[in-house]
Amino acid sequence: EAGVTQFPSHSVIEKGQTVTLRCDPISGHDNLYWYRRVMGKEIKFLLHFVKESKQDESGMPNNRFLAERTGGTYSTLKVQPAELEDSGVYFCASSQSLADTQYFGPGTRLTVL
Amino acid sequence: QKEVEQNSGPLSVPEGAIASLNCTYSDRGSQSFFWYRQYSGKSPELIMSIYSNGDKEDGRFTAQLNKASQYVSLLIRDSQPSDSATYLCASRNAGNMLTFGGGTRLMVKP
């Protein structure tokens, strides 16, 4: 069974540009989570989808971040416009039900210059 | 105060020794606790979860939880060089989001 996959693995963009990160959860997992780790800090929660609905988006830093999960399968996280402080590693995780283990993807390393 | 605190390390132990990793948390509403292992550049991988006070053993790993003291620990017996990684402690509340500590880097020396 394939794990959580994320694309791209690395992205380098300039301040003010737009970047879209993609996450494909484990097949059949209704719950999808986005987290990020900025330099020197701990991994922090961004938001949680149950199927295509946003269950909790309390961790989204500001309105430059937009997450979608159309159709309840893969998810995208768009940053527009990107700022320097958005640099970090963005992780996606999925779980079958709410109380189940969250399985993490390899992350996308975003560098904003 | 951070919600989940860990010593960043590095914690260095010789091969074959017991590695002891510690974590404290501040949210008394936290219901479950997890230890993830992360190799450099890789995804965090769950190695232990614990939900009630006491010890939980799985192979060479033992997780310990003390809710009164708000303390979680992970013991790795017979440490191997392949155990060298960053160990992340996380708590989960009713909202299902994980709250992570900063991680402890473990180095097991042959």
Side-chain angles (χ1 to χ4, degrees):
Chain A
E1 179 184 277
V4 177
T5 57
Q6 293 186 246
F7 182 84
S9 56
H10 293 85
S11 180
V12 181
I13 61 172
E14 300 211 344
K15 176 182 170 180
Q17 289 186 321
T18 297
V19 64
T20 300
L21 313 181
R22 173 171 169 145
C23 168
D24 285 77
I26 293 171
S27 177
H29 281 196
D30 287 340
N31 294 273
L32 187 149
Y33 306 81
W34 283 99
Y35 294 84
R36 77 171 177 178
R37 185 170 197 163
V38 296
M39 183 69 74
K41 302 284 188 181
E42 60 275 12
I43 297 173
K44 282 197 177 282
F45 168 81
L46 296 178
L47 88 159
H48 170 206
F49 283 100
V50 177
K51 297 185 180 178
E52 66 274 12
S53 300
K54 290 176 186 173
Q55 181 80 5
D56 180 356
E57 51 184 330
S58 61
M60 293 287 264
N62 52 60
N63 59 10
R64 295 185 295 103
F65 289 75
L66 175 64
E68 294 180 321
R69 193 182 182 197
T70 308
T73 53
Y74 71 91
S75 174
T76 58
L77 179 64
K78 184 186 331 188
V79 185
Q80 179 182 30
E83 298 289 345
L84 299 179
E85 64 265 25
D86 301 331
S87 296
V89 181
Y90 289 75
F91 290 103
C92 176
S94 73
S95 68
Q96 190 160 33
S97 69
L98 285 175
D100 280 348
T101 297
Q102 293 183 25
Y103 295 92
F104 280 75
T108 292
R109 181 172 294 276
L110 174 64
T111 302
V112 183
L113 302 176
Chain B
Q1 181 191 11
K2 291 181 181 178
E3 290 186 54
V4 178
E5 297 226 39
Q6 298 180 252
N7 188 316
S8 61
L11 172 66
S12 183
V13 300
E15 183 174 357
I18 295 175
S20 177
L21 302 158
N22 305 311
C23 169
T24 57
Y25 63 95
S26 60
D27 180 5
R28 286 197 174 273
S30 298
Q31 299 179 348
S32 46
F33 303 87
F34 305 87
W35 284 98
Y36 282 82
R37 177 177 62 199
Q38 187 179 22
Y39 294 111
S40 182
K42 302 294 185 182
S43 55
E45 172 195 8
L46 181 71
I47 52 172
M48 288 289 284
S49 59
I50 188 164
Y51 304 95
S52 53
N53 279 328
D55 294 2
K56 179 181 176 183
E57 187 175 316
D58 184 1
R60 295 186 297 114
F61 300 97
T62 299
Q64 299 173 316
L65 173 60
N66 183 325
K67 289 187 178 180
S69 301
Q70 295 175 250
Y71 178 88
V72 192
S73 66
L74 179 70
L75 299 178
I76 306 175
R77 288 180 296 283
D78 188 23
S79 296
Q80 301 297 308
S82 58
D83 294 326
S84 298
T86 295
Y87 288 79
L88 303 166
C89 174
S91 66
R92 186 171 67 192
N93 58 15
N96 283 295
M97 69 182 212
L98 295 175
T99 300
F100 283 90
T104 298
R105 191 166 139 239
L106 173 67
M107 296 171 57
V108 181
K109 299 194 171 180

